[in-house]
Amino acid sequence: MADAQKQEAVDLKNKGNAALQSGQVEEAIKHYTEAIKLDPKNHVLYSNRSAAYAKAGLYEEALKDGTETVAMKPDWGKGYSRKGAALAFLERYGEAEKVYSEGLKHDPNNQQLQDGLYDMQEKIGRPGNPFTGPNFIAKLQNDPRTRDFLKDPEFIKKLQSVQNKPDPSLLQDPRVMTALSVALGVDLNNIPDEPPQRSSPPPPAQKPQPTSASTEKSEPMEEEASDNQKQALEQKMLGNEAYKKKDFETAMIHYEKAIELDSGNIVYYLNKAAVYFEKGEFEECVGICEKAVEIGRENRADYKFIAKAYARIGNTFYKKKDYKNALNYYNKSLSEHRAADVLKKSQECKKIIDEEERLAFIDPEKANEEKEKGNDFFQKGDYAAAVTHYTQAIKRNPDDCKLYSNRAASYSKLMEFNLALSDCEKCIKLDPTFIKGYLRKGSCYLALKDSNKARVAFMKAKELDPTCQEAIDGMSKCYMTYQDNDPEAIKKRAMQDPEIQAILSDRAMQMILQQMQENPEALREHMNNKDIAAKIEKLMECGLIAIR
């Protein structure tokens, strides 16, 4: 591949990256697609387009590109994360789990693959195997005893083995045993090597005798702590009752007492934060949530509670319409635990932020400046530069149909007829009475040798302006092309379409078609009916009928 062609592919990739980061997903897909045409063996381009497709909700396409990425670069972890994410979005969790597992064989320290794997395991839930439990990998990462184990590929392979098929021999590895201890939350190293004999019943439990003054003091302290925890729980329950009645002052008193009695329990801080939130005291809510995270980390609380604290901070910013900060904390929450309601809120925030940025960028005056620049380059024959300026104009004023029409003309000059057709459709959607949109659409279809669809487009233009010479000439070209085709072959091909068969078997349509043959002027009246017009257009597109 020539250096110039390779550099052009790189430039297109960079444009795609910029478009994707700014939320212009369709533009990103177009740039990546053009780059792939120039450099079809570049795995990064397929990976990037997979991400863009996923962001656009086109998960099947994202899966195809993710699969292609893995096939082209099987030792690259990012490809597996793209493919796994697409499968997860398609709710094919079992397949996604296998993809993430395979990716970790090649890239054992890849955070995305690790997160994806335990997310899928949580979705699937394999009862009886603690190595596939929720947040298993995250627990190992956050425990100082096991954190460094994950850097060893051999250890990762052993974990994958016991996840897929428990093997008692692997438990002889002390690292696997330590990982199991972390997963279960117990110290397996203190379990006796030999269980008591079943033949003789165990002796009755005896109260341990204190051996020192320090031991004597330890027992009442444990009893006092246990009693405090019970009292704290009672205070929490009283607080919950008051909270349900919207008696927030009373609820706050009980939650504060619970914290005094059991200051290491993250739940009580979260309850207090909920009261602040309901009272609209958002700064206090954020402060107590941050304290909850700190307490939770110190006491190794469940990740779900840490996630809830971050989500509550996100909710306060969302309430204040500070969507960027809200999104930041929602993402922090999702990194701890993937909850559906928080994911939905984060997606809402992203949409609001994207829309705000889009609206902030709109400026009809600057759009007109870019349009004029595009017109100048078009007149000079520099159609690529014209496309660039028309694209900027569209970003500045996306509701101006003429901008899409101008860019469609530039794409046509560049022989990019599919891109031109896309702009024609957008142009017509914005203004169904804009003749230029139909004329450009008809010309594109003629260039693509689809005279049937071209004829429908020119007919639409002629309906809007019966004197439009360009529409009349276009229809004539279509008719001449149609005459050159074999009518019997056209009919045979069209009749294979079930939709065409249904239209032609409809008695009402049979009568209408008969009437049109006897009185061509009846067409205009029938075209006022949307349902009938759609059926007639379908027959025209297939070449079964022709109207001059």
Side-chain angles (χ1 to χ4, degrees), residues 118-119 121-123 125-126 129-139 183 303-304 337:
Y118 81 71
D119 276 349
Q121 290 170 347
E122 187 175 16
K123 290 282 188 185
R126 291 180 178 165
N129 188 348
F131 292 97
T132 59
N135 301 329
F136 172 63
I137 297 297
K139 288 178 180 178
Y303 299 104
K304 292 181 181 179
H337 173 71

Side-chain angles (χ1 to χ4, degrees), residues 232-305:
L233 186 58
E234 290 174 2
Q235 290 295 327
K236 176 201 166 191
M237 299 301 291
L238 291 171
N240 289 352
E241 289 298 321
Y243 183 89
K244 290 175 184 176
K245 297 174 183 177
K246 298 191 180 296
D247 184 357
F248 300 126
E249 296 299 331
T250 302
M252 181 67 80
I253 293 171
H254 289 299
Y255 293 145
E256 287 177 343
K257 286 182 180 178
I259 291 173
E260 290 175 11
L261 292 162
D262 187 5
S263 60
N265 193 325
I266 186 176
V267 173
Y268 305 144
Y269 295 88
L270 292 174
N271 290 358
K272 189 175 177 180
V275 173
Y276 279 133
F277 185 85
E278 290 296 334
K279 292 171 69 177
E281 298 175 6
F282 298 129
E283 289 185 11
E284 291 81 357
C285 180
V286 171
I288 199 68
C289 284
E290 289 175 344
K291 180 68 175 177
V293 172
E294 181 184 334
I295 294 296
R297 298 282 191 217
E298 290 176 359
N299 293 275
R300 298 179 66 183
D302 191 299
Y303 299 104
K304 292 181 181 179
F305 293 117

Side-chain angles (χ1 to χ4, degrees), residues 401-410 423 427 434 436-437 440:
C401 65
K402 294 180 181 178
L403 299 177
Y404 293 94
S405 175
N406 288 7
R407 191 170 68 175
S410 299
D423 275 352
C427 171
F434 189 60
K436 208 73 165 173
R440 295 208 195 286

Side-chain angles (χ1 to χ4, degrees), residues 177 187-197:
M177 283 296 292
D187 188 357
L188 296 176
N189 293 321
N190 290 331
I191 295 176
D193 291 333
E194 295 183 9
Q197 296 296 322

